[in-house]
């Protein structure tokens, strides 16, 4: 009799235990089915599954963010990066604009940096980064540019430091990268309001345009020489958004740079644009001397309609050399005042 009762109790215990295990399995399975992939433009989250021993239970472990940089490399971050070193002026500006902060930054001649970033450790200039200083900051993410920082990839990755080579093109691309940057910074909740406010300011400017199409040419003024910009910069897009026509689009590209065309005074005179915008790369004093020596000293320079009508303008590098980020409206307003002062007022 006693043994019979014991067997009954044992049977009930086994049945109860089996029920608990079954419920746990069902709940675990429901958890897997209900999980959703998250996206941070232009990135996507990848999910990995690991099995524990002989158990049928499956755990889902997500990377914080997985994305492709501008060179097509896939970068997976297991956790939100806390120490970010930024080697690109436009991404440094964008990081602070979305509410993040850097652990290290580059120097950029002729381009200002966010005021909050002035106290952040410098790791060299954009084109001459000190690798040892970068590694010493123990970053969990480095953001660089494809043009200048490809040679850093192997060394940083061998030290266990992920590096993303990122570029910015136009307005919509900037907004997409801002979403990615806010994911990196953990400030996604703030961004929609900021982007909507930016769109409102931009649309307010564009709504006032008169529908004219004056022509222009952008001249890049560097210590090594002068070139004509054909395409591929936010400065050109800003001018086009204001209704201007780039007179250089049909020019033959440079042999080593498809986005530019070789400069010659003969070409400039032939195109004879309504406006000539000059963007100085590097120190302003060096650029001013280059303009004087290679442009203003040429007798043909004075024959240009833009020169006669005082429509040759050195535009701010902060707004037109690098992508202005969440300050796109400021760049539009600045150029709008130069082209249509009767609508937007004069540049102060």
């Amino acid at each position: 009799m006693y043994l019979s009762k014991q067997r009954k109790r044992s049977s009930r215990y086994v049945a109860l235990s089996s029920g608990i295990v079954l419920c746990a399995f069902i709940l675990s399975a429901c958890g897997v089915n209900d999980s959703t992939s998250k996206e941070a433009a232009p990135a996507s989250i990848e999910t990995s599954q690991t099995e524990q021993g002989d158990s049928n239970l499956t755990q889902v472990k997500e990377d914080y963010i997985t994305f492709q940089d501008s060179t097509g490399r896939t970068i997976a971050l297991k956790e939100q990066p806390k120490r970010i070193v930024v080697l690109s002026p436009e991404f440094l500006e964008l990081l602070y604009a979305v509410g993040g902060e850097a652990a290290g930054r580059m120097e950029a001649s002729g381009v200002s940096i966010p005021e909050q970033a002035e106290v952040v450790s410098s790791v060299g200039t954009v084109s001459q980064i000190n690798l040892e200083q970068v590694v010493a900051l123990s970053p969990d993410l480095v953001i660089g540019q494809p043009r200048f920082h490809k040679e850093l990839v192997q060394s940083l990755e061998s030290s266990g430091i992920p590096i993303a080579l990122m570029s910015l093109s136009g307005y919509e691309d900037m907004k997409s990268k801002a979403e990615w940057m806010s994911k990196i910074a953990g400030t996604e909740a703030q961004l929609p309001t900021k982007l909507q406010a930016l769109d409102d300011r931009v649309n307010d400017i564009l709504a006032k345009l008169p529908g004219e199409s004056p022509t222009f040419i952008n001249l890049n003024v560097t210590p090594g020489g002068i070139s004509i910009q054909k395409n591929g910069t936010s400065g050109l897009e800003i001018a086009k958004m204001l209704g201007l026509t780039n007179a250089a689009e049909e020019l033959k590209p440079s042999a080593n740079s498809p986005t530019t065309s070789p400069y010659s005074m003969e070409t400039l005179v032939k195109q004879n644009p309504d406006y000539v915008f000059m963007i100085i790369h590097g120190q302003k004093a060096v650029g001013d001397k280059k303009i004087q020596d290679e442009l203003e000293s040429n007798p043909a320079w004075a024959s240009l309609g833009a020169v006669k009508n005082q429509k040759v303008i050195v535009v701010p590098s902060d707004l037109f050399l690098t992508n202005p980020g969440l300050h796109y409206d400021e760049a539009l307003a600045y150029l709008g005042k130069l082209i249509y002062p009767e609508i937007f007022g004069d540049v102060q």
Side-chain angles (χ1 to χ4, degrees):
M1 184 75 173
Y2 176 78
L3 290 175
S4 176
K5 289 181 179 180
Q6 285 291 88
R7 288 192 185 97
K8 289 181 180 179
R9 290 192 187 111
S10 176
S11 298
R12 286 196 299 270
Y13 177 78
V14 170
L16 180 59
S17 299
S18 300
I20 292 172
V21 171
L22 179 60
C23 287
F25 178 79
I26 292 171
L27 289 174
S28 175
C30 289
V32 172
N33 291 336
D34 288 342
S35 66
T36 56
S37 264
K38 299 178 182 178
E39 289 189 0
S44 61
I45 304 299
E46 289 183 350
T47 302
S48 60
Q49 296 183 338
T50 57
E51 290 187 358
Q52 293 187 339
D54 296 329
S55 172
N56 289 325
L57 298 180
T58 300
Q59 284 189 339
V60 176
K61 183 179 181 180
E62 293 183 343
D63 292 331
Y64 180 76
I65 186 172
T66 300
F67 60 94
Q68 282 193 331
D69 72 0
S70 297
T71 66
R73 296 167 52 250
T74 298
I75 295 145
L77 303 179
K78 299 298 181 183
E79 298 176 347
Q80 178 191 341
K82 302 297 184 183
R83 296 184 58 77
I84 305 172
V85 173
V86 187
L87 311 180
S88 164
E90 50 199 1
F91 278 96
L92 183 67
E93 176 67 44
L94 196 57
L95 175 61
Y96 280 85
V98 301
E101 59 183 27
R105 60 165 177 85
M106 77 298 127
E107 301 281 354
S109 179
V111 178
S112 63
I113 63 173
E115 184 177 351
Q116 308 96 303
E118 291 179 357
V119 297
V120 175
S121 298
S122 170
V123 294
T125 64
V126 173
S127 59
Q128 292 183 318
I129 297 297
N130 188 314
L131 183 61
E132 291 183 358
Q133 290 181 345
V134 174
V135 174
L137 290 173
S138 301
D140 38 24
L141 178 64
V142 174
I143 301 174
Q145 293 181 351
R147 178 181 177 186
F148 295 109
H149 306 128
K150 285 184 178 180
E151 73 280 1
L152 301 178
V153 172
Q154 185 175 356
S155 297
L156 288 174
E157 288 186 340
S158 66
S159 299
I161 299 172
I163 173 172
L165 301 178
M166 305 297 290
S167 59
L168 278 178
S169 53
Y171 184 59
E172 293 302 324
D173 183 52
M174 180 278 298
K175 292 193 291 182
S176 177
K177 296 292 172 53
E179 292 176 8
W180 170 77
M181 185 66 86
S182 70
K183 175 67 175 177
I184 294 294
T187 58
E188 303 108 303
Q190 306 175 16
L191 188 63
T193 300
K194 292 183 178 181
L195 290 182
Q196 184 59 59
L198 175 61
D199 277 339
D200 291 344
R201 296 194 300 271
V202 166
N203 290 332
D204 182 61
I205 293 171
L206 301 184
K208 297 176 182 177
L209 296 177
E212 301 174 8
S213 298
T215 59
F216 76 98
I217 273 182
N218 266 12
L219 295 181
N220 296 311
V221 182
T222 73
I226 295 174
S227 64
I228 300 173
Q229 192 71 41
K230 275 176 55 68
N231 53 56
T233 69
S234 55
L236 293 181
E237 186 197 43
I238 290 165
K240 288 184 178 181
M241 290 172 74
L242 289 170
L244 279 69
T245 300
N246 183 10
E249 281 189 350
E250 302 304 320
L251 296 180
K252 184 178 179 179
S254 302
N256 59 349
S257 175
T259 62
T260 65
S261 181
Y263 158 77
S264 73
M265 184 59 71
E266 180 182 358
T267 299
L268 207 56
V269 170
K270 183 178 179 180
Q271 296 299 318
N272 196 26
D274 297 316
Y275 290 86
V276 174
F277 302 126
M278 295 185 285
I279 302 176
I280 294 176
H281 298 238
Q283 296 181 0
K284 187 177 184 303
V286 175
D288 288 341
K289 188 173 188 308
K290 181 69 68 174
I291 292 170
Q292 183 177 7
D293 292 344
E294 296 195 22
L295 296 175
E296 295 175 349
S297 64
N298 191 319
W301 175 252
S303 69
L304 291 173
V307 175
K308 294 177 180 179
N309 297 322
Q310 298 184 341
K311 293 181 178 180
V312 176
I313 304 149
V314 177
V315 295
S317 297
D318 287 350
L319 296 177
F320 297 94
L321 174 57
T322 59
N323 189 295
L326 298 191
H327 301 284
Y328 238 88
D329 59 308
E330 295 177 23
L332 283 167
Y334 184 93
L335 205 60
K337 289 177 179 180
L338 293 174
I339 308 301
Y340 307 114
E342 69 280 4
I343 297 175
F344 299 104
D346 294 323
V347 174
Q348 299 299 320

